[in-house]
Amino acid sequence: MSGPDTPSGGGGKAPEPSGVDLARVALRAAKEAARARGDAVQQRKQARRGGLRSGARADRRDPMALGPAISRLLTERGWEAPAAVGGVMGRWPEIVGEDVAKHCEPERYDEDERVLVVRCDSTAWATNLRLLAPTLVARLNEDLGHGAVRLIRVVGPGGPARRFGPLRAPGSTGPGDTYG
């Protein structure tokens, strides 16, 4: 006598959930739906109020002061050395002295080769700065950290463009304070 109401012998289907089990499943689904609706409503409210807020305790979403934010940005991007060299360019007269700073100014810094290029307004000052270069490299590395500047490349004054004309001798470099 096997009918639809009698259980089968061994390996049939799992029994269907009864009334209590159906109620639990329905309650769980209703709670999840309410939680999802609540999260969506909460997010809409926060968006209207001006964004998410971290609450009473310190959180990574809290606003930062400008100084620490810039320091963090420089560290994350690996810009410490170029920023430090930029600071040196601003403090050039303090580092090399007023007399040298009047005649020689830093032009650019090559981060890959760690070379600081300095332009002088005359060949005499360029020669003088070449003699001072090892001392300046040591002073800069003391200020910036070991190995930040490997070499100071000194360039002389940029002369006027060479013009060719009837009064020019072929191969002439022209008058004036030239460098090279």
Side-chain angles (χ1 to χ4, degrees):
M1 276 200 180
S2 76
D5 292 337
T6 60
S8 58
K13 292 190 265 181
E16 290 187 23
S18 65
V20 175
D21 293 333
L22 283 174
R24 284 188 186 136
V25 170
L27 180 62
R28 186 177 307 126
K31 282 183 178 179
E32 289 176 7
R35 192 174 299 125
R37 277 195 316 271
D39 288 347
V41 169
Q42 182 75 14
Q43 288 174 354
R44 275 188 255 130
K45 282 182 182 177
Q46 286 176 343
R48 269 187 258 135
R49 283 191 310 211
L52 297 173
R53 299 207 174 125
S54 67
R57 293 185 186 85
D59 194 353
R60 62 178 169 74
R61 297 174 290 167
D62 288 340
M64 293 179 78
L66 185 61
I70 289 175
S71 297
R72 184 171 142 195
L73 179 69
L74 290 174
T75 303
E76 287 174 357
R77 304 289 170 116
W79 294 339
E80 292 102 347
V85 172
V88 164
M89 290 183 178
R91 295 182 297 123
W92 183 250
E94 296 171 21
I95 294 170
V96 298
E98 292 294 327
D99 291 339
V100 175
K102 286 179 189 174
H103 300 282
C104 306
E105 63 182 25
E107 215 172 57
R108 66 182 176 277
Y109 175 70
D110 183 1
E111 183 180 355
D112 296 329
E113 296 188 22
R114 297 185 316 245
V115 174
L116 180 66
V117 178
V118 179
R119 180 168 299 278
C120 298
D121 61 3
S122 71
T123 55
W125 277 104
T127 304
N128 189 18
L129 194 65
R130 276 192 179 151
L131 295 173
L132 290 174
T135 307
L136 289 177
V137 167
R139 194 178 303 167
L140 289 169
N141 283 330
E142 197 177 286
D143 193 30
L144 300 173
H146 182 69
V149 177
R150 188 177 55 82
L151 176 72
I152 293 180
R153 183 173 298 139
V154 181
V155 293
R162 297 179 184 161
R163 296 190 175 95
F164 298 99
L167 300 177
R168 284 296 225 194
S172 169
T173 58
D177 187 6
T178 58
Y179 183 79

